[in-house]
Structures are given as C-alpha cells and as structure tokens.
Amino acid sequence: MTAERMEGRLLWQPSKEIRKNANMTKFMTWLREMRGLHFDTYEKLWEWSVSDIEGFWSAVWSFFEITSHTPYEAVLSGRKMPGAHWFEGASVNYAEHIFRSERTGQPAVIYQSEIRPQGKLDWSELKKNTAAIAQYFVSAGVKRGDRIAAYASNIHETLTAFLACASIGAVWSSCAPEFGLMSVIDRFKQIEPKILIVVDGYRYGGKDFDRVEIVKKIQAELSTLEGTIVIPYLHEQPLLDGLAKTVLWSELIERHRGASLAFEPVPFEHPLWILYSSGTTGKPKPIVQSHGGILLEQLKLGALQNDLKEDDRFFWYTTTGWMMWNVVVSALLSGSTVLLYDGNPSYPNEETLWKFAEATKMTVFGTSASYITACMKSSVNPKEKYNLSHLRSLGSTGSPLPVSGFEWVYDHVKDDIWLFSTSGGTDLCTAFVGGSPLLPVYAGELQARALGAAVKAFSEDGIEQIDEIGELVITEPMPSMPIYFWNDENNERYKASYFDVYPGIWRHGDFIKITSRGSAIIYGRSDATINRGGIRMGTSEIYSSLENIPEVLDSLVVEIPISSGQSYMPLFIVLKEGAELTEDVKKRVNGAIRQSASPRYVPNDIFRVHELPKTLSGKKLEVPIKKILMGTAIEQAVNLGSLANPDALSYFGEFKETLRKNTEKNG
C-alpha cells in the first residue's frame, strides 16, 4: 500500500472512558456550568476559542485558578500583532504554580543518563533544592530581571536551577553542552548573564566530552558574570583550575539547606526565559516569553491538549537547547512526574528509550519523527519486547511524521495508543497544531488546531484555504507569543521575522493543509518549497515517499533555478551501512516519489552522501544548502556554530562543479 493511499486512514478513536475523564471534557463542562457556554464538539470549542479570545483566555485563567497577587484590569489590551498586551495589572509567578499544592505519592522527577543510573526526586526534595539555589541567587545579588544562563545537561539540577531562577523573577536561558563555543557565545553574549551554571562535561554515545576548557573561554567572553555554579556530572571531582568565581552545586545545597522558598510576584508580561532561533543564518534571535503567557499556554497545552494529570509520567526526549525541554518542565504545572533522559537515544541501539519507558512506567512518550523513523528502519519491535502497559500516548514533533511512522507506532508499539503528532515552534514555545483526547487519529494527520490558536492556511494573496496547501498563519494574538526579542530596537527583527508577508498576521514559515474535518497536515518549510511546473510542494512529501525504502536512512532535496522557467532538482540520500547507490535503488527511489508524491517531483539526479548537515536541534538545512549550491560561500550561507556537524557541509561546497556540469546537461 502506498503512502498516498494510506493517508487519512482511521487508526484510533478515544473510548467513552477516555472522553469522559479527559480534562478537555471537564473544561467544557465548566464552561457550561460557569459561563453558560455549550459546545458538543471540539471543533465548535475551537471556533469559540479563536473568535472570543478574551473570553477563552479568561476562562483558562479561571479554570486553572491562576494565583495573582493583584487583579488584572483587562484580559487583552490592543487586539493586534505585534502589540497585544495580556492581563495588565496582574502579578503572577510561574514557579509558584508548580509548588502551590503539596503533592505526595508520586515523584516529581525521575532521571537517567549514560552517566547516572535511574534516580528520582520527590516533590519535597525538589522544593528544598529549589529554595537553596534561589537563596544563593539572592545572596549573590541577583535581582528581578537579571539573567541566569545555563550551559548544562538535561538533568535534575538544571531543572531545579530554572525553577529557582523563576521564583525570584530572574530571566532564564540555556544551551546544551554539545553546543560549540561560538554557538554559546552568540547566544549568551547578547543577554549579558550575571550567573552561569555549567556541567564539567557529558557523555554521549558512550564517549566522554570534557567541557571545562570551553567553560573557561565562555567565562572570558561574558564580562557581566559574577559567579559560576559547577555541577560535577562527568567527573565526581572535576579539575576546575583556571575557572573564575566558581562554586560547586553540592556546596550550595548544603550551605543553604533549610532555606524557605518564596516567590517574587512579577507583572504578567515579565520575562520568564529567553529561547533562541536556530541561528543558521546570522546570530540566533533571542526570543523573550513571559511568566504569565507561558503559564497559561503551558497549562492549556499540558492539561487540555495533552490531557496530563497528576498520575502521569511525562517524557519527551530533548536537550536543554530545544524548546521541548521547557515543555517538559511545564508538565510539573499539571502535577505530573517529569522523566529526564540525557544521552544518545540510539546508543547502544534504538531500544534505549523503550527500556527507559518500561523501567519508569512512562505514560506519555514524546519523541521526534526522525527517532520513530530510525526505530522503523532498524526493525525495532517494542510491543513484543517491553512491558508498555502504562503507556497511553505517544507524541511526535520536530518534523512531519510520515504515514509509515503512524503505521509503525500502531503495529509495533501499541494498537491502542493515542498518537498525537504536533507542530509548533520555539517562537511561541508550544504546539499550535497537535493533539486532542476527544478526537480520532488519522494516518499522516495532526488531529486538530490547538485551542486559542487561530491557525489557518493562506494562499499567496492571503485567502484562507481548506483542503489546499497554504502558508501557515496565525490570525489572532496568543499570550505566549514573544513579548519582544532581546535588544531589538523598535521590534525591527521581530516584525521582519513574522509579519513582513501578511501585515498584522503571524506567518510561521511552514506549509499546512487544513482538512475539511478539522485535522491538519504539515508539509515542511515554505521557504524550502519545490515548485515544478507551477505546482508547489513541501519537501516533506518527498521525504515521506522514501520511508519504505530500507536502504535510505535520510534524504534532502533542493530546487535550483537555472534559467527562466527551468530548475534543477538534486536529491541527496544517506544509505545504510553496507548499502550501495545502485541503479536498482535509484529506480525504487524515483518510483516511490512518482507514486506517492507526483512524477513532477522525481529528481534530476540522486547523489549519495555520508551524512547530512543538521542544526543543533536536528533540523535539515534545505535553504542554506540551496544558497551554497547557487554560489553563496559556506560562511555566508550558514552560521557554522549553529550546526551539529559542520564538516558535513564540505561535500556541498565541493559539489558546485558537479552541479555546473549537471545543470548544463539538464539545461
């Protein structure tokens, strides 16, 4: 069966029990009883949430009983983008909502890594540690609005440090320790942190990476630093010679043991954290999001869209350099246990995370489409090998999950599991298209647009489209949209990033199709569009076509204009070890694209590469590679510090002569 024929096939429906017990159902009941609003379908609830946005977000505020130290004067001031202001007058604290009730019986955090065996923190220990670190910050002179930066792994200490930072109204920012020196400098130097939190090193794929020398260089570049906390992670007693103003994590916990945890009330739009765009071209954009905006959005995402409850154990594979780390932390708002894994998810093989799922009694397994594809190609069969009886849902994000990925989950993980593929962005730190526990799952489709997210598909002339591929836009403001970019005078970079195509409307940069039943399909980045014969297609459709070819591990396609009305489209593929790019493989690749996508998108040539360059968060570099192949110098086309494997670009730099010859042949 081809991917095209499988798309849209019904794979799962929520049972009556799931629908009855869903937080979404409880919210709809609350709306009926408290607001006199009756919605008998998710679609009608969504329509209301994006038309009466003040009514919807005030309902979220009341339903989740937001603690505010001062009353808000208005839900929304200025219904425009950019320029909307939310809940003016309110004073809140994000961390206060995590600790506002005493929770017993379930751990707060369960953690494991390639270095550490499985361990856990209960809620009281998490609170005590948070109080100790917060007390240190205060004693070190950190004040509301000061920045605290972390160059640290996905471990419980990093999570604790963030909560401590938020509790006193300081502003958080983090990079994963696999980030290279310039990637860290390009981010942290922009925000001028007062305190730096670091690990001495980390282990990935069985290899140790010492980071002390890198930390020395980071310290030298950050003139505003007044102290550095070192978390001994790779070594129990790391050699810290040459590091300035350092203190060990364990010393702080012991020194401030018994401190009380207090919460600094801050305005609703006070900065909570700074995230970053990928920075593939130019310096990464520092995206600032607010205490209140993230609080409301993440409560809605976790409790309503993902149906998180206090007995859930929530996991998403991530590093501290990706927004999904922030989403994982926010699961604590729902009272759920968060599961942290640090290391290579495919080491020593693709079964590592499934073992972790069994051992932790994981209920929600979050991962990337690429990990699901890797499991599929490695013939992993978790259903037969592991006890996944506690697992009720599986989330996927990072890139579009192909139809074959949906099928693999139901065939090889669980036949009765809620699979929610999601799409969103660092820009809002959420999924604005994704899951709903009230809706069925169809192969290749994201279940629904998220509540409060006025997501639409626009034609080039700004007309809304249904059952047609268009630009993904958001037509109404959301509280978690950036309050600004750091040091962005007059919001110039902010406006240019999202509002330069459709004034006053957020253009996200993806292709999307909204189906007539309300589900959605993501087709990849709109700036990496393939346009042949006047027909546009997202690159994800081509990648999905290749999922059932066992020799192909990864692929990348670009379209190069060569003359008026003509283009050259090479396809680059990574093959399994031992496989060769034979004529038979080429024939099957072309046949799969012809059958599943369209004959228009059969590439002009197919080339084998050993690896494809990726960003630090694992995204493909379609646009930079297109620029390189069109003649732009590598250093001008891409910020090398933003890449996980910059050496992989050398192939494409050398490819220009091959391209010249082939374009002459095809032109």
Side-chain angles (χ1 to χ4, degrees), residues 72-334:
Y72 63 80
E73 298 161 3
V75 174
L76 178 61
S77 303
R79 189 169 172 169
K80 60 182 180 178
M81 294 183 290
H85 294 286
W86 295 91
F87 294 93
E88 288 185 308
S91 298
V92 299
N93 187 285
Y94 171 96
E96 182 175 12
H97 289 77
I98 286 176
F99 292 109
R100 62 179 171 172
S101 61
E102 295 295 329
R103 298 182 173 103
T104 59
Q106 293 285 348
V109 182
I110 298 176
Y111 57 85
Q112 185 178 322
S113 74
E114 291 189 28
I115 296 173
R116 293 174 172 173
Q118 185 178 312
K120 65 182 179 181
L121 287 180
D122 61 28
W123 283 92
S124 62
E125 190 173 6
L126 177 63
K127 187 174 183 179
K128 289 175 184 176
N129 291 350
T130 300
I133 300 303
Q135 184 63 43
Y136 163 73
F137 289 153
V138 172
S139 68
V142 178
K143 297 179 175 59
R144 177 200 288 196
D146 287 341
R147 275 76 63 207
I148 295 173
Y151 185 52
S153 301
N154 182 26
I155 52 181
H156 68 84
E157 292 94 335
T158 313
L159 183 154
T160 300
F162 160 66
L163 295 177
C165 171
S167 74
I168 65 170
V171 185
W172 176 263
S173 192
S174 62
C175 288
E178 64 265 25
F179 281 27
L181 175 63
M182 289 314 301
S183 292
V184 181
I185 297 303
D186 284 347
R187 287 161 170 79
F188 289 168
K189 200 165 187 177
Q190 293 186 72
I191 67 169
E192 300 178 310
K194 182 175 282 190
I195 299 292
L196 180 66
I197 302 162
V198 302
V199 291
D200 61 313
Y202 66 98
R203 184 172 297 159
Y204 189 86
K207 297 179 180 179
D208 290 350
F209 297 87
D210 192 288
R211 278 295 182 257
V212 173
E213 290 301 317
I214 296 290
V215 172
K216 288 180 186 177
K217 294 175 182 177
I218 293 171
Q219 285 185 327
E221 291 286 340
L222 300 179
S223 60
T224 56
L225 277 186
E226 296 182 10
T228 298
I229 302 174
V230 178
I231 304 168
Y233 183 45
L234 183 60
H235 304 287
E236 290 186 9
Q237 296 181 322
L239 297 175
L240 304 179
D241 296 345
L243 293 186
K245 299 179 181 178
T246 60
V247 60
L248 293 178
W249 178 271
S250 55
E251 292 178 10
L252 294 180
I253 296 296
E254 187 61 34
R255 183 190 308 170
H256 298 287
R257 187 176 299 279
S260 297
L261 183 59
F263 303 100
E264 174 78 8
V266 295
F268 186 92
E269 292 191 343
H270 182 77
L272 173 65
W273 56 44
I274 301 171
L275 307 181
Y276 302 92
S277 64
S278 61
T280 52
T281 55
K283 288 188 177 181
K285 295 184 284 286
I287 299 166
V288 186
Q289 291 156 344
S290 70
H291 269 252
I294 289 297
L295 175 61
L296 289 187
E297 178 57 42
Q298 295 294 349
L299 278 168
K300 183 210 72 178
L301 173 67
L304 297 184
Q305 306 293 159
N306 296 343
D307 202 31
L308 293 183
K309 302 180 175 74
E310 288 194 6
D311 59 352
D312 272 309
R313 296 189 170 192
F314 180 80
F315 171 74
W316 211 289
Y317 178 78
T318 184
T319 73
T320 56
W322 187 26
M323 59 151 279
M324 290 310 300
W325 182 83
N326 305 72
V327 171
V328 168
V329 174
S330 291
L332 293 170
L333 291 168
S334 300

